[in-house]
Amino acid sequence: AGVAAVLSASVFVGVAAFGGTTAGTFTLKPGGSATAESDAGLTNGQASVTYTLPGRPVGNSLYLGLELRRSNSTMLRAKARILPDGKVTVDTSKVVNNAETSLGSKAVPATVGAGTTTLTLEAYVKGTSPTALGVRVYPAGTKAPDWQYTATGNHGITNSGKVRAWAYLSKLATAPMTRATSSVGWTRSVTS
């Protein structure tokens, strides 16, 4: 069991980062990203973010994620990829100087409809050598499934860093994503 934190709300548009907040609204243009940084730092723990989407991406994918453990320009990221047909995959990756290396991915049964869809994305990180990074995504308000994908290895990041919600719309998308919202929560200890 861990201690949950509920923090204040704010707004983020385009590429923005803000401290001390865990909720916001963003608009993404093709090739654009947005981040929301909380004051929560996790060495071992679990984080969650709930995204409310106005529909599916058009022309290419939308990525929604959580960034855990960060040291300078290196971080671990857990994310969901939303395809234009509404199908969803989960993925874990290591990011070094903005270059992302996938640690693996898996298709999941969640889908995004043509209208408003709300998804919960959860991730955990634990251990140092090796480190385990897990991810799952599911419709908000429903029972959480088992962890859908876990990557274990020596990823070389032991600093806690601050939990960040992250979103990116492919540069190949043909329309912006507008009025998407997110809220972030976290716990200090891993739960299953």
Side-chain angles (χ1 to χ4, degrees):
V3 177
V6 179
L7 304 176
S8 59
S10 186
V11 174
F12 59 111
V13 177
V15 178
F18 53 94
T21 62
T22 60
T25 301
F26 59 89
T27 298
L28 292 175
K29 294 179 182 178
S33 66
T35 60
E37 183 174 281
S38 75
D39 282 340
L42 294 179
T43 302
N44 293 290
Q46 179 177 322
S48 66
V49 59
T50 300
Y51 287 100
T52 302
L53 305 175
R56 300 172 178 162
V58 178
N60 213 292
S61 299
L62 171 68
Y63 299 85
L64 306 171
L66 279 164
E67 295 176 346
L68 308 169
R69 282 201 191 165
R70 188 167 55 255
S71 176
N72 298 321
S73 59
T74 302
M75 71 191 76
L76 295 175
R77 181 183 285 158
K79 65 181 185 261
R81 178 183 183 185
I82 316 302
L83 298 158
D85 63 2
K87 292 180 182 174
V88 179
T89 63
V90 291
D91 183 292
T92 56
S93 61
K94 181 177 178 179
V95 181
V96 180
N97 295 323
N98 292 320
E100 189 167 15
T101 301
S102 176
L103 303 174
S105 65
K106 181 180 177 182
V108 297
T111 58
V112 172
T116 301
T117 301
T118 304
L119 295 174
T120 296
L121 176 72
E122 295 179 332
Y124 75 82
V125 63
K126 66 179 178 178
T128 54
S129 188
T131 297
L133 177 64
V135 61
R136 63 186 171 200
V137 65
Y138 55 95
T142 65
K143 185 176 188 256
D146 291 335
W147 294 103
Q148 294 161 327
Y149 189 80
T150 301
T152 302
N154 294 320
H155 307 306
I157 305 172
T158 57
N159 293 4
S160 62
K162 292 187 178 173
V163 174
R164 294 197 320 180
W166 167 87
Y168 170 74
L169 181 61
S170 170
K171 65 182 177 181
L172 300 176
T174 55
M177 293 289 294
T178 59
R179 296 180 303 281
T181 61
S182 72
S183 59
V184 184
W186 60 282
T187 55
R188 287 189 185 275
S189 63
V190 176
T191 58
S192 57

